[in-house]
Amino acid sequence: MHPVYVDRLKIFLCLAVALFCLATNAACADEFAFDLAAFEKKPWHLSGYAELRPVLFGLDRDAALYRLRFFDRDEGGTTSETNARLQLEGRYERGPARLFARLNSDYRRSTFGETFQTTFYDGYLGLRPRPFLTLDVGKKSLRWGTGYAWNPAAFFDRPKDPDDPELNREGFIIATADFIRSLSGPLRTLALTPVLLPVRSGLNEDFGRADHLNLGGKVYLLFYDTDIDLTALVGGSRSNRYGVDFARHITSNFAVHGELAYIRSEPRPLVDADGNLHQKNASALSYLLGLRYLTRTETTWILEYYRNGSGYTREEMRHFFALADAAFAEFGATGDAGALERAQSLGRQGFARNNPMRDYLYLRVSHKEPFAILYLTPALTAIANLNDGSFSLAPEALYTPLTNLELRVKAIFPSGGRYSEFGERQNDYRLELRARYYF
């Protein structure tokens, strides 16, 4: 080939390679172009969810708790309720400072009318002057304890609802700190969390007696791969109490946990066999033992035994239910609601709360995507009162057709004999649909 053509061919090949490289680079740039600023951690974050939850109640008109609530009205066999919730949470960080807030707004329309309430569940300022030290001041839910349905050693938290224990809860206004140290040897981590919680008029009033500064805290230990917490509360608004909890993974899919709490001189309102009211102070020892197991087929088992040392015996609960029946009969005969109102007050103080008795068993079984049905998780929850033999069963199905959308259908069926805890619930059944969208 003539040398001129060879040179021209070389030039053409070089130009072709150059153009190919430029085109490839441009395409790669278009496909993989990124802005470094987009990967930088933003100082703020906002998220939350919106929820709609209609509920249908099948009423037990002969139950003591039905009569206490509806003694002066006729609701028929069923009643309904519409609930809506908007929960927002935001975080702003700048340097060592962090501001966190969780705002919860609830709307309810029922036979009693309409209510709307907005509450700050959390709202606190955090400072981290050193990597091992964090200070928080404001309203905060601490979420202590290792139990799933109950947390007897979580002295600074509001109690969970065992029918829906994963719900966020309102915190208290506190000042707290976290000192964390990593160590070598069997004790791998040591953390100290002191807590100050004042109670006075307009401040943490529902925690306990006013005009007290309550002190307490938690010591956390990671010892031989076992998480251990030592907790305490003193100060006067509530009786002094001390606790310990633990959690440990035996294998990657099997874990055990437990809690123990000692409460000194816990006051309890009581009703005797003659319907007389009095109060008894006594120390109480409460504890919880549980396990969590995940099978190879994606079935999760959660089992817990709970001993409520400050709970009521079977006879003490029977006396309360008999008092409620007698008060209802007096109202029917005379129209005087005074005895019913006193019984209602006793219920709010303890008898009508969730799980007011002494021994409970909790079992929850959930299975992910049965029969290859994508995004579906059915579950069954059972809570049994071991003192009177009553129980509740709650089947449910959770479906997530979209990444941020949850649809849940749930039913609760309480069952038990006369003057038993679940037998005297106001509902024969409860059906609800929950649609929740996260953003």
Side-chain angles (χ1 to χ4, degrees):
M1 182 179 293
H2 195 279
V4 175
Y5 295 109
V6 173
D7 292 338
R8 290 178 179 177
L9 180 60
K10 289 181 179 179
I11 295 172
F12 174 79
L13 291 175
C14 289
L15 289 173
V17 171
L19 290 172
F20 176 79
C21 291
L22 287 173
T24 303
N25 288 339
C28 291
D30 290 339
E31 184 176 355
F32 298 104
F34 62 92
D35 183 3
L36 287 175
F39 290 86
E40 294 178 357
K41 185 177 179 180
K42 295 180 179 179
W44 57 270
H45 174 76
L46 180 65
S47 62
Y49 66 81
E51 174 184 292
L52 180 65
R53 185 170 58 87
V55 186
L56 176 67
F57 300 96
L59 302 175
D60 183 355
R61 297 162 64 90
D62 296 324
L65 296 186
Y66 171 89
R67 291 173 171 178
L68 285 181
R69 187 175 188 189
F70 300 109
F71 66 89
D72 58 349
R73 52 200 302 156
D74 184 5
E75 292 299 317
T78 61
T79 186
S80 62
E81 183 179 276
T82 301
N83 300 273
R85 170 173 291 180
L86 177 64
Q87 192 165 116
L88 302 172
E89 63 177 63
R91 181 192 71 243
Y92 180 79
E93 297 183 25
R94 188 176 183 87
R98 176 175 182 260
L99 183 64
F100 178 83
R102 179 179 287 118
L103 185 69
N104 186 82
S105 296
D106 279 320
Y107 168 80
R108 175 175 297 174
R109 185 178 66 190
S110 69
T111 184
F112 291 99
E114 292 182 306
T115 61
F116 180 79
Q117 184 177 12
T118 297
T119 306
F120 270 103
Y121 276 13
D122 298 273
Y124 61 90
L125 174 65
L127 297 174
R128 194 176 185 184
R130 295 289 186 272
F132 58 86
L133 174 62
T134 303
L135 306 172
D136 293 325
V137 178
K139 195 170 189 179
K140 185 177 182 181
S141 178
L142 296 178
R143 301 184 184 185
W144 288 358
T146 57
Y148 182 78
W150 302 282
N151 296 119
F155 302 139
F156 290 93
D157 286 310
R158 287 182 168 83
K160 291 178 176 177
D161 178 0
D163 289 325
D164 211 343
E166 295 182 346
L167 289 176
N168 290 321
R169 290 162 288 157
E170 182 183 358
F172 292 102
I173 296 176
I174 61 174
T176 184
D178 283 304
F179 303 88
I180 303 175
R181 285 294 191 185
S182 297
L183 306 170
S184 59
L187 180 59
R188 297 169 54 186
T189 305
L190 172 65
L192 175 63
T193 305
V195 178
L196 299 178
L197 191 154
V199 178
R200 64 173 186 267
S201 178
L203 181 65
N204 295 327
E205 287 182 307
D206 56 341
F207 186 81
R209 293 180 292 272
D211 301 322
H212 291 281
L213 178 61
N214 300 278
L215 312 175
K218 179 178 71 171
V219 177
Y220 167 76
L221 310 170
L222 178 56
F223 185 71
Y224 280 114
D225 295 325
T226 301
D227 297 296
I228 302 172
D229 293 312
L230 307 175
T231 60
L233 167 64
V234 298
S237 293
R238 296 180 179 179
S239 54
N240 295 349
R241 48 201 69 194
Y242 311 92
V244 59
D245 65 53
F246 77 92
R248 180 181 176 88
H249 274 85
I250 306 301
T251 64
S252 60
N253 60 343
F254 178 62
V256 295
H257 59 270
E259 298 187 34
L260 176 70
Y262 172 74
I263 301 176
R264 184 178 179 183
S265 188
E266 176 80 350
R268 294 189 305 152
L270 294 173
V271 181
D272 62 23
D274 297 323
N276 299 314
L277 310 180
H278 62 280
Q279 183 167 289
K280 180 180 179 181
N281 291 343
S283 298
L285 184 68
S286 300
Y287 54 88
L288 176 144
L289 293 172
L291 61 87
R292 185 184 184 106
Y293 179 62
L294 176 63
T295 69
R296 294 182 179 178
T297 57
E298 296 289 329
T299 300
T300 301
W301 295 76
I302 300 175
L303 178 65
E304 291 185 338
Y305 166 70
Y306 173 45
R307 169 68 175 183
N308 179 14
S310 59
Y312 294 105
T313 66
R314 183 176 182 178
E315 286 304 309
E316 290 168 344
M317 286 296 294
R318 289 177 65 88
H319 294 161
F320 168 73
F321 291 136
L323 174 69
D325 276 353
F328 182 75
E330 178 182 335
F331 173 75
T334 67
D336 183 4
L340 276 169
E341 291 171 353
R342 289 191 293 273
Q344 286 177 333
S345 177
L346 277 174
R348 289 190 294 268
Q349 293 178 56
F351 286 100
R353 294 178 182 175
N354 285 327
N355 311 133
M357 295 179 69
R358 295 202 169 181
D359 297 283
Y360 292 91
L361 195 66
Y362 178 94
L363 174 65
R364 178 175 173 83
V365 184
S366 61
H367 183 67
K368 185 178 180 181
E369 299 181 347
F371 310 110
I373 303 176
L374 297 178
Y375 317 123
L376 178 67
T377 303
L380 177 66
T381 302
I383 303 176
N385 184 322
L386 302 181
N387 301 125
D388 61 20
S390 64
F391 61 90
S392 75
L393 293 177
E396 66 179 83
L398 179 67
Y399 183 56
T400 55
L402 303 174
T403 301
N404 296 332
L405 178 64
E406 285 184 355
L407 302 176
R408 188 184 75 175
V409 179
K410 183 175 182 177
I412 300 178
F413 301 99
S415 179
R418 182 170 171 79
Y419 288 175
S420 67
E421 177 191 351
F422 292 103
E424 296 294 342
R425 291 277 179 97
Q426 73 175 39
N427 304 314
D428 277 329
Y429 61 84
R430 169 180 162 181
L431 305 175
E432 69 175 42
L433 170 65
R434 189 185 76 186
R436 180 182 289 181
Y437 181 76
Y438 294 90
F439 51 87

